[in-house]
Amino acid sequence: MKVAAQSVEFGLARPFRISRGLKTTAQVIEVEISDGTHLGLGEGVPYRRYGDSVQTALAQAAGLAENFSRLDLLITLPPGSARNAVDLALWELECAQKGLTIWEATGITSPKPLSLGYTVSLSNAKEMIQDAKRHSSNSLLDVKLGGDDDRAALLGIREAAPSASLIVDVNEGWSPQELELMPPVLIECDIELLEQPIPAELDHLLEKLDLPISICADESFAPGKRVSELSSGFNCVNVKLDKSGGLTAAMRDVEDARAAGLKVMIGCMVSSSLAIAPAFVAAQTADYWDLNGFLSLTQDRTPQMRVDSGNMTLPPGLWC
């Protein structure tokens, strides 16, 4: 097998901000694997939160042996964007070699369209409320908090989008004091899910939190961590392919979460449709999904994830 990896940059139609910082471009690693006849492509997004980078990922991909399997990768590469991109390229290569669709290869017999939410990026309260109002027809809004006036932002968003389901994602942005103050607002706004409200090292505080809302681990479910290691304060886990290190590992993580009695969210990074496609596959059995990262790009790959009447599907020719 021949492995080739390169860095690809996508422009963003609008800045994407969370509590840790601002993005104006999406830098990804693209891996191509060929057996001389068939070809597989995969895309991974380095997760700076854990020290991953494009340079590191490219070096890891370049160091691979000539012949290896998806299971070999679980041992030879650490979880991260490089392993993700290589794993996904192998999935597509295997499907091409065997003449299978990804649904046949994964045993998912009845794939379904998934609703497509909209992400309200972190900004000042006024801008966030206006953004939510413009997209109030969406069935789901993923609201990024961790700013200077989260209470006003959330109350205004709920008023602007009274019918939408709301997921609040804080990306570790609250202090212990904010964690104590925000629950009444979350309840008043009828939040469906609270994602990673405080830094991972403070997860023990969640075990004392009496909140009738599901709490989802994201940054706390770091690369290489197992579901069994999560704080009991979580009853949901966000599985991202770039953290798990590929679809192969992500499917294992989903199984572990189910065995532990946890709900599952499948998330994504800001990326092209090539990275969203396998996450769409993983999300077929999830309780929640946040797979709109491709909508932030000024120009996506061709073909791209298909969007129709608020739902997304995997089109032929995109991946597997």
Side-chain angles (χ1 to χ4, degrees):
M1 293 188 298
K2 182 179 179 181
V3 180
Q6 65 175 342
S7 172
V8 179
E9 183 173 284
F10 295 94
L12 302 189
R14 62 187 179 106
F16 181 81
R17 186 187 296 273
I18 64 173
S19 61
R20 282 195 303 276
L22 177 72
K23 264 191 174 186
T24 56
T25 62
Q27 291 186 310
V28 309
I29 173 177
E30 177 187 285
V31 170
E32 177 182 293
I33 302 180
S34 172
D35 64 1
T37 302
H38 306 95
L39 187 70
L41 285 177
E43 178 181 309
V45 186
Y47 212 134
R48 288 189 300 171
R49 166 67 172 78
Y50 306 106
D52 198 2
S53 70
V54 168
Q55 293 73 24
T56 300
L58 290 174
Q60 290 174 347
L64 288 169
E66 287 190 5
N67 292 294
F68 53 89
S69 68
R70 288 187 289 107
L71 294 181
D72 291 333
L73 286 178
L74 299 177
I75 301 172
T76 57
L77 285 185
S81 60
R83 195 173 84 183
N84 181 29
V86 175
D87 176 80
L88 300 179
L90 282 177
W91 273 103
E92 185 171 48
L93 178 64
E94 291 172 21
C95 285
Q97 290 171 333
K98 298 175 182 178
L100 300 175
T101 66
I102 189 60
W103 310 115
E104 292 168 330
T106 56
I108 298 174
T109 56
S110 301
K112 60 183 183 294
L114 299 178
S115 58
L116 185 63
Y118 176 79
T119 297
V120 179
S121 182
L122 181 62
S123 184
N124 63 67
K126 182 179 179 180
E127 290 182 356
M128 293 177 71
I129 293 166
Q130 291 174 342
D131 194 20
K133 189 172 184 177
R134 288 192 295 268
H135 297 87
S136 59
S137 61
N138 283 72
S139 60
L140 173 69
L141 296 180
D142 180 4
V143 181
K144 302 296 185 182
L145 292 184
D148 295 331
D149 199 353
D150 285 351
R151 184 179 186 279
L154 192 55
L155 289 169
I157 288 169
R158 172 46 81 201
E159 184 178 356
S163 301
S165 295
L166 298 184
I167 289 177
V168 165
D169 185 3
V170 192
N171 294 108
E172 303 181 283
W174 285 348
S175 66
Q177 292 73 28
E178 288 169 310
L179 182 66
E180 291 183 4
L181 293 174
M182 286 300 294
V185 184
L186 300 174
I187 294 171
E188 180 179 350
C189 293
D190 191 25
I191 301 305
E192 186 164 336
L193 186 72
L194 174 63
E195 192 175 352
Q196 198 66 47
I198 55 178
E201 63 267 22
L202 299 178
D203 282 350
H204 61 279
L205 298 179
L206 299 175
E207 298 169 12
K208 304 175 183 178
L209 190 64
D210 184 16
L211 185 66
I213 296 171
S214 292
I215 304 178
C216 185
D218 184 357
E219 285 84 351
S220 291
F221 189 51
K225 194 166 185 175
R226 300 305 296 267
V227 170
S228 59
E229 299 175 68
L230 289 173
S231 163
S232 62
F234 294 112
N235 51 17
C236 179
V237 58
N238 188 335
V239 176
K240 293 179 179 175
L241 272 63
D242 283 300
K243 291 193 297 177
S244 295
L247 179 60
T248 304
M251 293 171 69
R252 178 204 63 189
D253 290 336
V254 170
E255 290 179 0
D256 289 348
R258 293 305 190 194
L262 299 180
K263 293 181 179 179
V264 172
M265 169 183 264
I266 299 296
C268 71
M269 306 291 281
V270 179
S271 57
S272 83
S273 286
L274 181 60
I276 301 298
F280 176 84
V281 174
Q284 291 294 312
T285 61
D287 302 287
Y288 308 99
W289 46 87
D290 176 17
L291 301 179
N292 59 19
F294 68 105
L295 295 180
S296 297
L297 306 187
T298 54
Q299 184 172 352
D300 198 358
R301 296 179 187 268
T302 303
Q304 65 184 62
M305 291 297 296
R306 183 176 294 160
V307 179
D308 183 38
S309 301
N311 291 319
M312 62 190 304
T313 54
L314 178 59
L318 172 58
W319 180 74
C320 291

